[in-house]
Amino acid sequence: MELLCVKVKKGRLNGAADTFNTYVVLKIQNLKSTTINRKGSEPCWEQDFMFEISDVEKGFMVELWKKGLIWDKLLGTLWIPLTTVEYATDEGSGAWWILHSEVIKNGSEICGTKTPTRHEILLDVYFAILNDLDRRSHYRRASLQGACHSPLDTSSSLSPMKSALSMQEKELSNKDQVYISSLAKARWTRAIQKTLPEAMGNRAGFYSTFRLPSGFGF
């Protein structure tokens, strides 16, 4: 299972700016996500999407739509094969893609696009490289989902599997708590080191300026 990250950034549309009110649709493995509408010939969406991918041999579709009074109009499409997507730890500047007007199919499946339009879109697409903590959490969630949805589970085999997964989840959770606890301690230490001199300085200033009213003494 891979984590695909897609950031829809900007567009460069050919035409009068006051004629465009556009949004982007992402379609991948029976999932569909849509950006907000943006007006103008250089729309800026800056929206992030994440998908859990089970089959990296396929691809996903990007569609640019123009909002209409009754019907929306498709301005262009783009097919991106997942085999061309690189791995990264964080988002980058992205790349400009030319949208097309026709879809190429192999039977009933989409396998590409053709016939370029004059519209372009800026996308940042990458598979996320998870750190150890994220990877354990991702693996734990995937394992539990597999145990719940596997068609081979039976009443006799499910109980030991759940018990083993429960023990594994508890062990990983304890490790996560130790990591988080250590991180919290470090943050508290830095906060105390930063604020303690200020607090002591304020108290010293208070004692140096404080005077008892006349008639009072010890």
Side-chain angles (χ1 to χ4, degrees):
M1 190 76 70
E2 302 290 346
L3 186 62
L4 177 68
C5 301
V6 180
K7 183 161 190 173
V8 182
K9 291 177 170 285
K10 303 176 182 179
R12 290 196 295 232
L13 313 182
N14 181 58
D18 58 356
T19 63
F20 291 112
N21 184 16
T22 54
Y23 61 93
V24 177
V25 177
L26 305 177
K27 295 180 178 179
I28 179 169
Q29 297 183 0
N30 298 323
L31 298 175
K32 177 180 177 181
S33 296
T34 305
T35 68
I36 57 177
N37 303 335
R38 289 299 189 193
K39 295 182 178 181
S41 58
E42 296 184 354
C44 182
W45 296 285
E46 294 293 341
Q47 285 188 254
D48 295 279
F49 301 90
M50 290 187 293
F51 306 90
E52 286 188 335
I53 304 299
S54 58
D55 188 357
V56 296
E57 296 301 321
K58 295 186 177 181
F60 68 98
M61 179 69 74
V62 181
E63 298 177 346
L64 177 65
W65 289 83
K66 178 181 177 181
K67 200 74 175 174
L69 295 177
I70 301 177
W71 305 105
D72 295 349
K73 179 181 178 182
L74 181 62
L75 297 180
T77 62
L78 175 67
W79 173 259
I80 300 180
L82 292 174
T83 53
T84 64
V85 178
E86 298 181 349
Y87 287 81
T89 56
D90 200 359
E91 67 179 67
S93 58
W96 285 98
W97 299 75
I98 297 176
L99 298 171
H100 298 84
S101 59
E102 295 184 67
V103 173
I104 303 173
K105 287 188 175 182
N106 182 10
S108 59
E109 290 191 1
I110 297 174
C111 59
T113 53
K114 63 179 182 178
T115 312
T117 68
R118 294 185 178 181
H119 306 308
E120 295 179 276
I121 188 171
L122 179 61
L123 302 172
D124 185 26
V125 184
Y126 63 96
F127 282 118
I129 299 178
L130 305 178
N131 57 41
D132 291 340
L133 185 60
D134 292 336
R135 191 178 298 277
R136 289 199 301 267
S137 177
H138 184 72
Y139 170 74
R140 180 167 66 248
R141 183 171 64 253
S143 299
L144 292 174
Q145 289 175 348
C148 293
H149 299 292
S150 173
L152 300 178
D153 289 344
T154 62
S155 58
S156 59
S157 61
L158 184 58
S159 180
M161 182 181 295
K162 280 187 175 181
S163 177
L165 287 173
S166 178
M167 293 177 62
Q168 182 186 53
E169 184 179 16
K170 183 177 180 180
E171 179 181 353
L172 291 174
S173 178
N174 290 338
K175 291 181 179 179
D176 293 349
Q177 290 176 3
V178 170
Y179 173 81
I180 294 172
S181 177
S182 300
L183 184 61
K185 288 180 179 178
R187 288 178 176 175
W188 273 108
T189 301
R190 289 195 299 269
I192 292 173
Q193 291 174 346
K194 181 180 179 180
T195 58
L196 186 58
E198 297 178 0
M200 294 299 293
N202 292 338
R203 191 171 70 174
F206 170 78
Y207 284 123
S208 64
T209 57
F210 180 76
R211 296 291 186 271
L212 285 173
S214 59
F216 288 84
F218 296 96

